[in-house]
Amino acid sequence: MQPLVKISNLNLFYQSIDSETQALKDINLEINREEFIAIVGPSGCGKTTILSLIAGLIKPSFGEIKIMDKEPNPKLDLCAYMFQRDNLLPWRTIEKNIYFGLELKHKNSKENKQFALTLAEKYGLKDFLKKHPNELSGGMRQRVALIRTLSLKPELLLLDEPFSALDYQTRLELCDDIFKIIKNEKKTAILVTHDIQEAISMADRIIVLSARPGKIKAIHKLNFDPNMTPFNRRNTEDAKQMFDIIWQEIQNEKSETK
């Protein structure tokens, strides 16, 4: 099967007047359709930078990224972002916020708006459509943000620390919600997170990056029962063992850079 995303020999250098810094080095990775990938690593290793490269927001120094055999280009709408903050517009109702992405992309046809509305109702937002963001909890607001993103029908979801602004209990609940929605809608997703447990609870594979310049240090394939929720995954012995392995890999990187 042809991978949805293929990254080949990806390198990125940041240039200044008197120096050059390598941010990413020789990244090679294939991501299949409906796969959930998590990227972890020490701070500053280039996790979020990889998302920006895949989205086409920045260009690699050399190497290649292909999404469905196309080069990344924000105009193609192959990717859609979900950020740390929900970025809902406070003066708009939830329904109007869900339509906002369609409006920005000039895709706000009656058919597309109906698709967005169907998603919202399917995933528990029916009774909140006429409310405003300040009337919703943080977890519910992030669910709105995901529905707004899915309304654009992207091939690939880029999740940049989407739970980090929430309290711990809400994060646990939202992980289950987001995981269920992404799997039900058969979407491919890449999650960047500092939380190893979060990565283990949601991903099919975890990519561990080295310290800068970020390169792939390890790839761990997870073999949980596909019917398990992220919350239930966290409590397994396999999850605890994987946490210890990844934790040590990241700590080794930190000690080597001191």
Side-chain angles (χ1 to χ4, degrees):
M1 183 183 294
Q2 184 76 10
L4 180 70
V5 181
K6 185 173 183 179
I7 301 174
S8 305
N9 302 316
L10 181 68
N11 287 261
L12 181 69
F13 292 86
Y14 290 121
Q15 309 282 346
S16 65
I17 295 174
D18 54 4
S19 67
E20 179 180 78
T21 301
Q22 187 167 16
L24 296 169
K25 181 177 180 180
D26 300 335
I27 303 291
N28 291 279
L29 181 65
E30 293 185 356
I31 301 172
N32 297 317
R33 287 185 178 276
E34 299 183 34
E35 192 172 19
F36 199 124
I37 297 293
I39 303 177
V40 300
S43 295
C45 68
K47 298 185 292 293
T48 295
T49 301
I50 289 176
L51 294 191
S52 296
L53 287 160
I54 291 172
L57 301 177
I58 57 177
K59 299 292 185 183
S61 300
F62 56 92
E64 184 178 69
I65 302 173
K66 289 293 183 70
I67 307 170
M68 297 176 61
D69 287 329
K70 299 180 178 70
E71 292 187 358
N73 184 338
K75 294 181 180 180
L76 295 178
D77 295 330
L78 294 175
C79 304
Y81 254 107
M82 186 174 172
F83 296 99
Q84 295 177 18
R85 302 289 178 180
D86 54 67
N87 294 318
L88 300 182
L89 301 177
W91 58 89
R92 281 187 165 225
T93 64
I94 297 307
E95 181 178 4
K96 296 295 185 182
N97 266 288
I98 288 170
Y99 295 155
F100 186 60
L102 295 172
E103 294 169 11
L104 284 178
K105 296 290 186 177
H106 305 290
K107 293 183 175 182
N108 56 327
S109 65
K110 183 177 180 180
E111 180 184 1
N112 286 340
K113 290 172 77 172
Q114 183 56 53
F115 174 73
L117 197 60
T118 299
L119 281 177
E121 293 178 351
K122 182 178 179 181
Y123 294 113
L125 295 174
K126 181 178 180 180
D127 295 334
F128 301 92
L129 292 171
K130 301 306 179 184
K131 295 184 180 296
H132 288 80
N134 67 346
E135 299 177 82
L136 273 62
S137 67
M140 190 67 77
R141 288 168 61 114
Q142 279 293 60
R143 190 188 300 185
V144 174
L146 178 61
I147 299 306
R148 179 184 59 196
T149 300
L150 289 174
S151 298
L152 296 170
K153 302 179 182 178
E155 295 292 335
L156 179 64
L157 292 173
L158 305 175
L159 311 176
D160 189 5
E161 298 272 5
F163 314 114
S164 63
L166 304 171
D167 64 81
Y168 184 68
Q169 182 176 344
T170 302
R171 288 175 71 164
L172 293 179
E173 293 171 354
L174 192 61
C175 278
D176 279 7
D177 285 347
I178 299 301
F179 180 83
K180 177 183 176 182
I181 293 169
I182 289 173
K183 290 298 183 182
N184 282 352
E185 298 304 315
K186 301 185 183 303
K187 291 299 178 182
T188 309
I190 305 175
L191 168 70
V192 159
T193 180
H194 286 89
D195 188 328
I196 299 171
Q197 283 188 322
E198 189 172 274
I200 293 169
S201 74
M202 300 186 78
D204 300 310
R205 284 190 293 158
I206 298 177
I207 314 301
V208 183
L209 294 185
S210 70
R212 185 183 295 168
K215 53 186 181 293
I216 294 178
K217 181 182 180 72
I219 299 178
H220 298 285
K221 182 173 175 56
L222 305 175
N223 295 301
F224 292 104
D225 181 330
N227 295 316
M228 289 183 73
T229 65
F231 182 83
N232 288 334
R233 279 192 186 191
R234 288 173 181 260
N235 297 318
T236 64
E237 191 60 36
D238 286 346
K240 295 171 185 175
Q241 292 176 6
M242 183 58 67
F243 178 90
D244 291 340
I245 291 169
I246 295 174
W247 170 265
Q248 193 58 57
E249 287 171 344
I250 294 174
Q251 291 308 305
N252 288 345
E253 284 299 310
K254 290 179 178 180
S255 63
E256 289 173 10
T257 59
K258 288 183 179 179

